[in-house]
């Protein structure tokens, strides 16, 4: 089943065609990766999907409903959670309170238990009382993922989630992402190609704001156009 579908999605900034007529389908209960060179339009594209930036033309449907003009908070309410490329935690609040806010937002009646469960899932339960801004950068990224998971989303969009993670933390991250499937669908924007190839069932490649290719990891790896634009260009 298709959970999210975009058709002709377009967003220009002056003369820059950041997203230029992109068609995109996200299958429910799967891990789908979005890759491409720096400046390919990846973050702009997912910002259109989650409502942080308005669409100029094209349409977006989610769970069969048109969400093209819905504001970001309405999309969150419908089950879309987006973790940012740059951490967006509440630095002055405790780790616990950062996660308690989204748990509260979805109307949980077991606030403390659900908050600790989300922290435990990312391995931060032992740091619940610590001020979030004092965490190591990699732990801040994991906290942000916990905040996303605390919303019990149908779609979790992860923008460069392994940035700042130590090598020893990446295996745990991959296990975490696999653990949310199939209840949650994951869209992964990631430069670490080992992570992408290991996790994703489908990969879409953007280049100059347009879809260059979409397919299985094996098909993407073997695609000459992708090799020329990205995989062979030192961006991996």
């Amino acid at each position: 089943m298709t959970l999210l579908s975009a058709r002709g999605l377009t967003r220009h900034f002056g003369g820059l065609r950041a997203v230029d007529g992109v068609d995109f389908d996200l299958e429910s209960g799967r891990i789908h990766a979005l890759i491409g060179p720096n400046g390919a339009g990846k973050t702009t594209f997912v910002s259109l999907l989650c409502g942080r930036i308005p669409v100029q033309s094209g349409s977006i449907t989610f769970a069969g409903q048109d969400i093209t003009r819905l504001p970001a908070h309405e999309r969150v309410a419908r089950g879309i959670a987006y973790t940012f490329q740059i951490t967006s935690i509440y630095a002055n609040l405790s780790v616990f309170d950062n996660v308690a806010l989204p748990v509260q937002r979805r109307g949980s009646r077991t606030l403390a238990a659900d908050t600790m469960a989300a922290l435990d899932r990312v391995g931060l339960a032992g740091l619940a009382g610590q001020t979030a801004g004092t965490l190591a950068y990699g732990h801040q990224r994991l906290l942000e993922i916990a905040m996303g998971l605390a919303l019990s989303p149908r779609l979790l969009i992860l923008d460069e989630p392994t940035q700042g993670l130590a090598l020893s933390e990446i295996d745990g991250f991959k296990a975490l992402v696999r653990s949310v499937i199939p209840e949650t669908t994951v869209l992964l924007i990631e430069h670490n190609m080992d992570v992408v190839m290991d996790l994703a069932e489908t990969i879409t490649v953007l280049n100059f704001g347009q879809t260059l290719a979409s397919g299985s990891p094996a098909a993407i790896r073997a695609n000459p156009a992708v090799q020329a634009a990205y995989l062979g260009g030192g961006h991996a």
Side-chain angles (χ1 to χ4, degrees), residues 29-212:
R30 297 172 70 86
I31 302 170
H32 192 127
L34 186 68
I35 67 171
N38 288 326
K42 302 183 298 295
T43 294
T44 300
F45 177 69
V46 295
S47 294
L48 296 175
L49 296 183
C50 72
R52 294 184 66 230
I53 297 174
V55 172
Q56 276 178 315
S57 62
S59 63
I60 307 166
T61 59
F62 181 71
Q65 301 293 314
D66 189 327
I67 63 167
T68 311
R69 304 297 168 196
L70 287 184
H73 70 273
E74 288 282 354
R75 300 188 199 196
V76 171
R78 294 193 181 209
I80 299 176
Y82 176 30
T83 72
F84 302 99
Q85 188 172 6
I86 300 167
T87 54
S88 59
I89 62 170
Y90 299 99
N92 294 325
L93 295 181
S94 69
V95 169
F96 180 92
D97 286 345
N98 267 265
V99 177
L101 287 170
V103 170
Q104 189 174 42
R105 180 172 186 164
R106 65 174 167 86
S108 169
R109 296 182 180 182
T110 53
L111 181 66
D114 288 354
T115 299
M116 290 307 297
L119 286 171
D120 189 51
R121 200 161 190 182
V122 301
L124 294 181
L127 300 175
Q130 189 167 327
T131 301
T134 66
L135 291 175
Y137 184 73
H139 283 166
Q140 291 185 21
R141 301 311 308 265
L142 293 173
L143 174 58
E144 195 186 29
I145 294 171
M147 292 165 69
L149 290 173
L151 291 165
S152 293
R154 297 184 67 178
L155 169 60
L156 180 62
I157 302 174
L158 300 172
D159 197 349
E160 301 289 354
T162 67
Q163 184 179 305
L165 293 188
L167 284 175
S168 60
E169 295 172 316
I170 288 180
D171 282 345
F173 165 77
K174 291 190 290 189
L176 171 65
V177 171
R178 290 190 184 103
S179 77
V180 306
I181 303 297
E183 292 82 11
T184 301
T185 302
V186 174
L187 176 58
L188 179 69
I189 301 90
E190 180 58 67
H191 272 105
N192 185 322
M193 292 310 301
D194 289 337
V195 171
V196 168
M197 293 296 177
D198 195 23
L199 278 180
E201 297 160 279
T202 306
I203 301 172
T204 295
V205 187
L206 289 187
N207 196 33
F208 298 112
Q210 298 181 326
T211 304
L212 181 63

